[in-house]
Amino acid sequence: MVESVAYSAQVKKASHFAVITALILIIVKGIAWWQTGSVSMLASITDSLLDLLASFMSMLILRFSLMPADHNHSFGHGKAESLASLVQSAFISGSAIFLLLQGIHRFNSPQALSNTALGMAVTVFSIFATLLLVWYQGRVIKVTDSPAIKADRLHYQTDLLMNVAILISLGLSANGILLADAIFAILISLYILLNAAKMLFESVQLLLDQMLPEDEIALLSTVLNNEIAKDPRIVSFHALRTRRSGAIRFIQFHLELANELSFVEAHDITEHLEDCLRKTFPRSDIVIHPEPTFVVQQEMQSGKKVI
C-alpha cells in the first residue's frame, strides 16, 4: 500500500511538472515568434501548445489510472495510462502535420527574419528548461516505470532535438540563408511524425495485452528455474502468460509439482515463488496454478496442449 502511494505521488509530480514547463515555454516562445517571425519558432510554439494539451490530458488520465481496483474494474485502471500515450501520439501527429504544411509554405515563400538574437536566447532557455524536465521524468521512470510518463518524456526528448534544430536554423537565417528556417521546420515535422508513430504502436500493443519484453521474460524464467533447482518437489513450470496494465505486470503460469505433496505443501511452495517473483517485479499480480505431475502427463497423453 505504501509503495502504491509513493508511485502515485511520483507520477503526479512528474505530470504537474510537465504541464508547468509547457506553459512557461509557450509564453517565452510566443514572445520570440512575435519578435522574429520565424516559422521554426512558430513550429516550436505549436508543438509546445500540443505538449501542454497532451500533458494536461495525461495528468487527468493518470489520476483515473491510479484509482484502486473496484467492483467494476477488478484488474484496476492501469490501462488508462496506455490511453494517455495513445492520446499524446494523436496530438503529436497533428502538430507534426501542421508544421510540415507551414514549412512547405515558407519554403515556397522564404522571408528574412528579424531579431534573431532574441529567438536564439529563448531557444537556449527552452533547451535548458526541457532538459531539466526530461531529467526529472527519467528519475521518476526509474522508480515507477510508468508508460504515461515514458510517453510524455519521449515527446519532450523530441522537443530537445527540435530546439537544437531551431537554434541552428536561426543562426543560418541570421547569416542570410533564408531557406534554412523552412528546411529545418520540415525536417522537424518529419522527425516528430516518426516518433508519434512509434508511440502509437507501443500504446496499441499494451492495450492489446502484449506479453512482457523478452528481457523481462528471461529474468522471470531465471528466477523460477533457480527456485526449481533448489527444491526437488518442483518439477517444472509451463503455460506462462504475461501482460502489463499501467505499472502492474500480470504473471500467470502452471507449476508442475511432485505427486505426493499435500495441498498445504503445494500452497506453501506457490506462496514462496510469489514472494521470490515480487522481489524482482515489485508491482505485479501473480497467479500460480499448481498441478501434480500425473495430471500434466495425462494432459500430454490425451493430446491437450501444455505450453
Side-chain angles (χ1 to χ4, degrees):
M1 181 65 182
V2 174
E3 185 179 326
S4 177
V5 172
Y7 173 86
S8 300
Q10 291 271 13
V11 170
K12 285 178 181 177
K13 282 181 182 178
S15 62
H16 292 163
F17 191 14
V19 169
I20 293 169
T21 302
L23 191 57
I24 293 171
L25 291 179
I26 287 168
I27 294 170
V28 296
K29 288 177 181 178
I31 295 170
W33 171 64
W34 178 52
Q35 291 293 321
T36 63
S38 168
V39 72
S40 293
M41 188 60 69
L42 175 61
S44 184
I45 295 169
T46 305
D47 189 61
S48 292
L49 276 168
L50 289 164
D51 284 347
L52 177 62
L53 288 172
S55 294
F56 184 71
M57 186 164 290
S58 176
M59 182 178 69
L60 294 179
I61 295 176
L62 275 170
R63 286 183 177 275
F64 178 75
S65 73
L66 294 171
M67 292 171 60
D70 54 39
H71 66 284
N72 286 325
H73 306 87
S74 54
F75 289 100
H77 303 80
K79 282 194 176 183
E81 287 205 42
S82 298
L83 285 174
S85 300
L86 200 64
V87 170
Q88 286 183 351
S89 67
F91 274 123
I92 294 169
S93 298
S95 70
I97 293 170
F98 174 77
L99 301 182
L100 181 61
L101 294 174
Q102 289 293 316
I104 293 171
H105 174 71
R106 182 58 64 90
F107 186 83
N108 293 326
S109 305
Q111 297 176 16
L113 305 183
S114 60
N115 206 354
T116 53
L118 174 63
M120 294 175 75
V122 166
T123 304
V124 170
F125 171 78
S126 299
I127 289 172
F128 280 108
T130 309
L131 266 175
L132 180 62
L133 174 60
V134 168
W135 170 79
Y136 181 72
Q137 288 176 323
R139 289 188 60 187
V140 173
I141 289 168
K142 283 183 180 179
V143 177
T144 65
D145 200 28
S146 165
I149 301 302
K150 280 183 177 179
D152 217 27
R153 187 172 187 254
L154 177 62
H155 74 250
Y156 281 108
Q157 284 175 321
T158 65
D159 284 358
L160 276 176
L161 294 174
M162 181 177 67
N163 285 321
V164 171
I166 290 169
L167 192 61
I168 296 170
S169 74
L170 288 172
L172 292 173
S173 298
N175 287 282
I177 306 176
L178 300 183
L179 286 177
D181 189 39
I183 291 171
F184 274 92
I186 293 170
L187 292 175
I188 290 167
S189 65
L190 293 174
Y191 181 78
I192 294 173
L193 267 177
L194 180 64
N195 280 281
K198 180 181 176 182
M199 189 189 301
L200 175 66
F201 177 79
E202 291 177 352
S203 301
V204 170
Q205 290 302 310
L206 283 173
L207 289 171
L208 292 176
D209 289 336
Q210 182 185 38
M211 72 175 188
L212 295 180
E214 290 184 5
D215 59 332
E216 293 190 16
I217 295 293
L219 182 58
L220 191 155
S221 298
T222 299
V223 172
L224 289 177
N225 286 325
N226 287 341
E227 293 304 315
I228 289 172
K230 294 177 187 176
D231 194 337
R233 298 173 299 173
I234 308 174
V235 180
S236 65
F237 72 94
H238 58 274
L240 175 64
R241 295 194 299 171
T242 62
R243 67 182 179 92
R244 182 172 172 174
S245 178
I248 306 298
R249 290 166 175 81
F250 290 84
I251 302 168
Q252 301 178 21
F253 60 90
H254 291 200
L255 190 68
E256 184 179 351
L257 300 173
N259 291 327
E260 66 275 6
L261 296 183
S262 67
F263 179 82
V264 174
E265 288 177 305
H267 174 267
D268 290 342
I269 290 171
T270 56
E271 285 288 307
H272 173 70
L273 284 180
E274 285 184 22
D275 291 339
C276 291
L277 288 172
R278 284 201 176 91
K279 289 178 182 177
T280 307
F281 304 100
R283 287 179 293 276
S284 58
D285 186 302
I286 303 168
V287 176
I288 303 175
H289 175 66
E291 293 181 321
T293 297
F294 79 88
V295 171
V296 177
Q297 292 173 342
Q298 287 177 353
E299 289 177 349
M300 295 179 67
Q301 291 171 0
S302 64
K304 186 175 181 180
K305 188 176 182 181
V306 177
I307 303 174

